[in-house]
Amino acid sequence: MRPIYQVVMVKAYDGALVLTDVLLLIFKIVYYICESVFSFLIPREKSVAGEIVLITGTGHGIGKELALRYASLGATVVCWDLNQESNEETVNEIKNKHRTIAAYAYQCNVSKREEVFSVAEKVKKEVGDVTILVNNAGIMPCHAFLDHTTDEIIRIFDINVLAHFWMLQAFLPNMIKRNHGHVVALSSVAGLRGLPNLVPYCASKFAVRGLMESISEELRISTKGRSLIKFTTICPYMVDTGLCKKPKIRFPEAMPLVTPWETASQIVMAQRRDYRERSVPQLWLTLNTMLRNLPDNALCCLIDFLDSGVEADS
Ligand SMILES: *[C@@H]1O[C@H](CO)[C@@H](O)[C@H](O)[C@H]1NC(C)=O
C-alpha cells in the first residue's frame, strides 16, 4: 500500500493535467474561431500559377469553364473527357485566349480503372506531376426510383463515385510524396438533401462528401496534422449545363439556375481559399445546416412551399 498522501498527489497531478488540456482546448477553439472570422473578412487566395491542374469532364459545362478559368490564372491545364472532339475544342479555346498557357487534351473513360491509370502515366511523362485534381465528371439521369435500370444505377456510381476513387489512387500518392496538392470534388445540393427522381444520383453525391471528408481526416490524423494536401467539396445548385433537363423552380427570380461560368469561378475561389465544403450559391449549405434541425413536419412544409426540384426525363 502506498501512503495516502502519495495517492492524493498523483490524483491531483492527473487532474491538473486534464484541466490544462481542457483550458488549452478552449483556447485553441477560440483562437481558430477568431482566425476564421478574420479570414472571412480578409480572405486570402493562394496562387495557382505554375500548378498543374487536371480536370475531368472538360468537354462542356462546369468542367470546361473550370479549365478556362484555371488557364486564365496561369495554371497548366490537363483536360480529360470521354469525348475527344469537344475536349480538343476546350483546349483550342484556351490556347487561342491564353497564348502562353500550356493545355493538354486526353481522352479517358474515368469509369475504367485501368484506363485512368494508363492515361495518368501518360500525363506524368508528358506534362508532369498533377498538383490540383478536380473530379468533376458526372451524370444525372432523372427517373422515379423504380424506373432506373440496373445498368443505369451502376453507371451513375461508376462515374460519379468510383471514378473519384480511381483518380485518387492514381494521383494522391505523388501529392503525399511531395506533401503538396489539392483535391476538388463536385458533389451537389443533391448531396446535402435527398430529392425525388434523383435517388441514385443523390446517393452518389452523398457518397462523394463521405469520401472527401474521411480521406481528409485520415491524412490529417495519420500525419499528425503535417499534411499540406487540401480537400474541397463543392455542392452546386442546379446549373444550366444541360445535365438538369427539366428543372422545376417555383421562385426562379429568387433561386435562378446558376451559370457554368459563375459556378466555375466560385469553385476556383473556394479552392484558392482552401474551403473544405462550399455550395454554389453558398446560401444552400448554410440553410441546409440550419434547417436540418427543424422538426420533420416543419421542414416538409418549407420544402413543399419552395416546390422546386427536377422532373423525370422522358
Ligand atoms: C466506359 O466504361 C464503362 C465501364 O467499363 C463502359 O460500360 C462504357 O461503355 C464505357 N463508355 C464508353 C463511351 O466507351
Side-chain angles (χ1 to χ4, degrees):
M1 278 285 283
R2 283 198 276 179
I4 190 81
Y5 71 87
Q6 258 192 20
V7 176
V8 171
M9 289 286 281
V10 168
K11 289 228 151 128
Y13 182 67
D14 285 350
L17 277 187
V18 173
L19 187 66
T20 319
D21 263 4
V22 170
L23 290 176
L24 197 61
L25 174 66
I26 293 172
F27 172 77
K28 283 183 188 165
I29 290 174
V30 172
Y31 172 83
Y32 284 118
I33 290 175
C34 296
E35 187 192 68
S36 85
V37 170
F38 181 77
S39 56
F40 176 77
L41 296 175
I42 307 169
R44 263 184 314 184
E45 297 189 356
K46 58 189 183 188
S47 163
V48 294
E51 304 284 346
I52 299 181
V53 186
L54 191 160
I55 305 155
T56 64
T58 37
H60 74 285
I62 299 173
K64 177 175 184 170
E65 295 298 331
L66 279 171
L68 284 160
R69 183 107 190 106
Y70 274 113
S72 76
L73 294 168
T76 297
V77 188
V78 181
C79 298
W80 282 24
D81 203 287
L82 194 56
N83 185 330
Q84 185 66 359
E85 203 177 315
S86 57
N87 204 24
E88 269 167 7
E89 265 171 42
T90 302
V91 165
N92 288 337
E93 210 172 309
I94 291 172
K95 286 181 172 162
N96 289 337
K97 272 198 189 137
H98 311 285
R99 300 204 169 272
T100 57
I101 292 296
Y104 305 81
Y106 291 89
Q107 184 170 30
C108 185
N109 181 342
V110 286
S111 53
K112 288 189 173 144
R113 187 173 179 278
E114 306 308 319
E115 204 170 311
V116 166
F117 274 69
S118 67
V119 183
E121 200 52 45
K122 258 207 247 170
V123 170
K124 190 172 164 55
K125 276 208 196 91
E126 295 169 8
V127 188
D129 287 333
V130 169
T131 53
I132 301 175
L133 168 64
V134 186
N135 280 318
N136 162 71
I139 56 168
M140 187 176 109
C142 308
H143 308 294
F145 176 62
L146 294 177
D147 295 338
H148 279 285
T149 63
T150 306
D151 281 348
E152 192 170 62
I153 294 171
I154 292 172
R155 217 160 71 83
I156 291 171
F157 276 82
D158 270 343
I159 299 171
N160 293 7
V161 185
L162 291 178
H164 291 224
F165 281 81
W166 315 147
M167 295 298 285
L168 284 166
Q169 284 183 337
F171 293 101
L172 194 58
N174 230 323
M175 292 185 183
I176 292 175
K177 211 184 292 163
R178 300 174 49 173
N179 198 15
H180 174 73
H182 201 135
V183 179
V184 180
L186 271 284
S187 178
S188 162
V189 290
L192 297 171
R193 179 143 197 100
L195 300 169
N197 294 321
L198 289 172
V199 176
Y201 181 79
C202 285
S204 75
K205 292 301 184 182
F206 270 77
V208 167
R209 288 178 59 227
L211 160 64
M212 292 292 282
E213 186 166 305
S214 48
I215 199 163
S216 90
E217 272 304 272
E218 185 174 292
L219 267 184
R220 185 180 71 80
I221 291 170
S222 68
T223 63
K224 299 193 167 59
R226 283 193 280 270
S227 173
L228 298 177
I229 299 166
K230 304 292 181 191
F231 293 85
T232 299
T233 310
I234 306 286
C235 302
Y237 175 64
M238 284 184 261
V239 181
D240 192 10
T241 59
L243 201 62
C244 180
K245 292 185 191 66
K246 290 190 181 163
K248 178 179 79 166
I249 304 174
R250 183 173 176 196
F251 301 111
E253 294 81 16
M255 307 190 293
L257 288 188
V258 185
T259 64
W261 181 85
E262 171 62 16
T263 308
S265 64
Q266 293 283 319
I267 293 171
V268 174
M269 185 199 76
Q271 183 264 318
R272 293 179 63 199
R273 291 185 184 179
D274 287 335
Y275 290 149
R276 226 157 44 84
E277 196 161 41
R278 205 71 190 165
S279 69
V280 182
Q282 173 55 15
L283 180 66
W284 290 107
L285 187 57
T286 312
L287 277 181
N288 184 63
T289 312
M290 286 170 11
L291 299 179
R292 279 226 165 228
N293 300 313
L294 282 177
D296 282 345
N297 289 339
L299 191 53
C300 290
C301 291
L302 180 65
I303 288 165
D304 293 348
F305 170 76
L306 292 175
D307 190 27
S308 302
V310 291
E311 292 183 45
D313 299 338
S314 38

